[in-house]
């Protein structure tokens, strides 16, 4: 932790602390080897305690055996400058990637006086890069999904039509064996249709149609389906849902998201497990927690569970969480997951958008689901 100093050189004449607020670490090392750390971020990136804006001997803040000390004194000795240089520092079991730039300072006579160094935590850039990669992947997938869904739907509709005619014929003729086989085929087609619908959900980004919606109504509509699934799997369902005023969201998509999370929770548990659905308003956010008492998610899979087509189940599609994440993002929210070895909680977060007052509502009073 850095220690504040009264004469903070990063504070401009207007009192605006530019250096303190910038999202890069800044420090200066003079030719005598005294270091001036200008902002908290520089102290954090170097993992040191230093008075901000005050010149102190380098060895006092950074022990000589630290890689960072060697780097700074090496720059001083060589007069070399760093340009977009990626540094990797290890401290115990922690690894830090830092993007560093340094530039030398000369006095009015042109004599070398020291150097400034700016540092940027690459941890943040990596997160950004992962986000961009995921978004690009989603966009490509959305195109493939839309094309595939279209190509599959037409022949499927034809086959389904013929099968329905056959079903009627076999039923009228009392051909029980053929009738049963036809119904099995129709059921399989139903599953492919459900998969196509899910693919389409992924491809139709930003198709959110916000309407006044009531969380209680959404959960009540899901109740019969979830209870049946839970009962069949020997799972107990608990609810801890705050009574909330109506808000703006796409009720169809919200239902889909909760259904997917609850299905995953049920599928993760052995008989005797407990599924808990809890919801509350926290400030400007709506939080919906879907928790299970299953085995949890191993940490090495955490990064992958939201990937499209990632599944650990024999009959899984790997689409559920990708769809939930898309729905949350399209509502301006996100999904958080916590899993600590025993049990998992998925939190669906979205901004709580209250309805406009009755006088602002152009279509009369809100229609609840
Ligand atoms: P699917 O359910 O078809 O496998 P999802 O996208 O819904 O696809 O989930 C991806 C993977 O995430 C699952 O296969 C499972 O490994 C993991 N997962 C999701 N929810 C849970 C949970 N509640 N407990 C443990 N693992 C889970
Ligand atoms: Mg699933």
């Amino acid at each position: 932790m850095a220690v504040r100093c009264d004469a903070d050189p990063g504070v401009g004449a207007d009192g605006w602390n530019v250096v303190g607020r910038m999202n890069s670490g800044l420090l200066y090392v003079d030719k005598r080897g005294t270091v001036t750390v200008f902002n908290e971020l520089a102290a954090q990136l170097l993992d040191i305690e230093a008075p901000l804006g005050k010149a102190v001997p380098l060895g006092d803040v950074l022990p000589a055996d630290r890689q960072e000390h060697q780097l700074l004194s090496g720059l001083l000795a060589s007069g070399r400058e760093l340009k977009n240089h990626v540094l990797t520092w290890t401290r115990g079991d922690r690894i830090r990637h830092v993007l560093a730039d340094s530039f030398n300072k000369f006095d009015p006579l042109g004599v070398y006086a020291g150097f400034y160094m700016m540092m940027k935590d690459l941890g943040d850039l990596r997160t950004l890069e992962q986000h961009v990669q995921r978004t690009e992947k989603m966009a490509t997938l959305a195109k493939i999904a839309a094309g595939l869904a279209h190509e599959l739907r037409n022949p499927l509709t034809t086959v389904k039509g013929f099968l329905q005619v056959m079903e009627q014929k076999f039923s009228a003729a009392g051909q029980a064996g053929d009738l049963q086989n036809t119904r099995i085929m129709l059921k399989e087609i139903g599953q492919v249709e459900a998969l196509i619908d899910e693919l389409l959900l992924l491809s139709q980004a930003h198709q959110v149609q916000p309407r006044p919606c009531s969380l209680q109504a959404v959960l009540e509509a899901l109740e019969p389906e979830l209870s049946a699934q839970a009962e069949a799997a020997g799972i107990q369902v608990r609810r801890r849902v705050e009574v909330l005023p109506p808000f703006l969201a796409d009720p169809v998509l919200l239902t889909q998201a909760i259904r997917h999370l609850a299905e995953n929770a049920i599928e993760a548990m052995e008989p005797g497990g407990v599924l808990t659905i809890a919801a509350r308003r926290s400030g400007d956010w709506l939080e919906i927690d879907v928790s299970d008492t299953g085995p949890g998610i191993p940490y090495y899979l955490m990064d992958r569970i939201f990937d499209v087509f990632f599944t650990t189940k024999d009959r899984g599609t790997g689409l559920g969480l990708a769809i939930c994440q898309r729905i949350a993002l399209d509502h301006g929210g996100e999904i958080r997951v916590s899993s600590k070895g025993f049990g998992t909680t998925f939190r669906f977060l979205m901004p709580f958008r209250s309805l406009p007052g009755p006088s602002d509502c152009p279509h009369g009073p809100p229609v609840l689901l």
Side-chain angles (χ1 to χ4, degrees):
M1 240 333 176
V3 183
R4 292 224 157 269
C5 169
D6 291 341
D8 193 335
V11 180
D14 56 359
W16 184 247
N17 186 350
V18 181
V19 174
R21 280 163 187 269
M22 64 192 222
N23 192 20
S24 297
L26 179 69
L27 60 85
Y28 175 71
V29 186
D30 75 13
K31 64 180 178 193
R32 294 186 313 276
T34 50
V35 59
T36 309
V37 174
F38 289 118
N39 57 13
E40 295 264 359
L41 202 53
Q44 274 173 29
L45 290 174
L46 290 169
D47 200 8
I48 55 171
E49 287 199 6
L52 291 188
K54 221 172 164 186
V56 279
L58 183 57
D60 285 6
V61 283
L62 267 171
D65 58 350
R66 291 255 312 255
Q67 292 159 284
E68 298 88 326
H69 181 113
Q70 286 151 19
L71 172 92
L72 296 178
S73 43
L75 288 180
L76 206 58
S78 64
R80 191 164 67 92
E81 291 187 330
L82 300 178
K83 293 283 167 258
N84 289 327
H85 197 85
V86 178
L87 303 164
T88 303
W89 291 331
T90 34
R91 289 271 285 152
D93 53 0
R94 276 183 20 230
I95 298 179
R96 176 161 267 160
H97 302 282
V98 174
L99 182 72
D101 276 284
S102 73
F103 45 96
N104 293 334
K105 187 184 169 195
F106 297 90
D107 68 15
L109 298 173
V111 179
Y112 178 75
F115 67 89
Y116 283 93
M117 184 152 103
M118 285 181 69
M119 296 170 288
K120 183 112 187 126
D121 190 353
L122 275 186
D124 294 346
L125 295 185
R126 291 222 157 165
T127 316
L128 195 68
E129 193 183 312
Q130 277 171 0
H131 179 75
V132 170
Q133 275 176 0
R134 196 161 281 167
T135 313
E136 279 174 359
K137 211 163 131 191
M138 285 297 272
T140 312
L141 191 103
K143 280 188 202 148
I144 297 173
L148 201 67
H150 180 73
E151 291 301 323
L152 284 175
R153 215 188 257 292
N154 291 344
L156 215 58
T157 311
T158 313
V159 175
K160 191 176 168 185
F162 282 125
L163 284 173
Q164 279 165 341
V165 173
M166 282 163 70
E167 187 190 22
Q168 281 167 8
K169 279 190 184 159
F170 291 143
S171 173
Q175 290 173 251
D178 291 331
L179 182 62
Q180 197 192 357
N181 289 340
T182 311
R183 287 193 173 149
I184 292 172
M185 287 190 267
L186 279 168
K187 197 170 153 231
E188 297 288 332
I189 286 190
Q191 279 177 6
V192 180
E193 279 178 332
L195 187 69
I196 293 175
D197 287 344
E198 295 203 324
L199 278 174
L200 279 175
L201 252 187
L202 269 180
S203 67
Q204 288 165 353
H206 313 295
Q207 297 273 316
V208 180
Q209 294 176 358
R211 291 200 276 142
C213 112
S214 136
L215 187 62
Q216 281 77 12
V218 166
L219 292 176
E220 267 160 33
L222 266 176
E223 173 78 36
E225 193 183 325
L226 286 186
S227 299
Q229 274 184 38
E231 204 185 310
I235 305 293
Q236 213 188 314
V237 184
R238 291 192 193 144
R239 286 219 213 171
R240 291 204 313 269
V241 180
E242 242 178 45
V243 178
L244 295 169
F247 54 93
L248 280 177
D250 187 320
V252 177
L253 295 181
L254 192 58
T255 309
Q256 280 268 9
I258 302 172
R259 181 192 288 122
H260 276 302
L261 296 178
E263 272 174 9
N264 278 347
I266 293 172
E267 285 164 4
M269 289 185 280
E270 298 289 334
V274 180
L275 159 69
T276 309
I277 299 182
R280 68 196 75 80
R281 183 179 175 168
S282 174
D284 293 336
W285 293 86
L286 171 65
E287 293 177 357
I288 305 170
D289 288 352
V290 179
S291 313
D292 62 60
T293 53
I297 302 174
Y299 73 93
Y300 54 86
L301 290 186
M302 277 292 189
D303 273 358
R304 301 176 61 198
I305 55 170
F306 289 97
D307 285 353
V308 179
F309 299 131
F310 175 80
T311 182
T312 53
K313 301 171 192 169
D314 289 343
R315 288 185 64 91
T317 60
L319 292 177
L321 288 179
I323 289 173
C324 289
Q325 198 175 46
R326 158 131 287 167
I327 294 173
L329 289 174
D330 287 350
H331 276 84
E334 60 175 338
I335 294 197
R336 291 191 191 151
V337 50
S338 68
S339 186
K340 300 213 171 67
F342 177 73
T344 304
T345 297
F346 280 88
R347 173 167 291 177
F348 184 98
L349 275 158
M350 59 170 274
F352 192 96
R353 291 166 63 199
S354 302
L355 302 188
S359 56
D360 308 329
C361 191
H363 310 298
V367 185
L368 297 188
L369 268 183

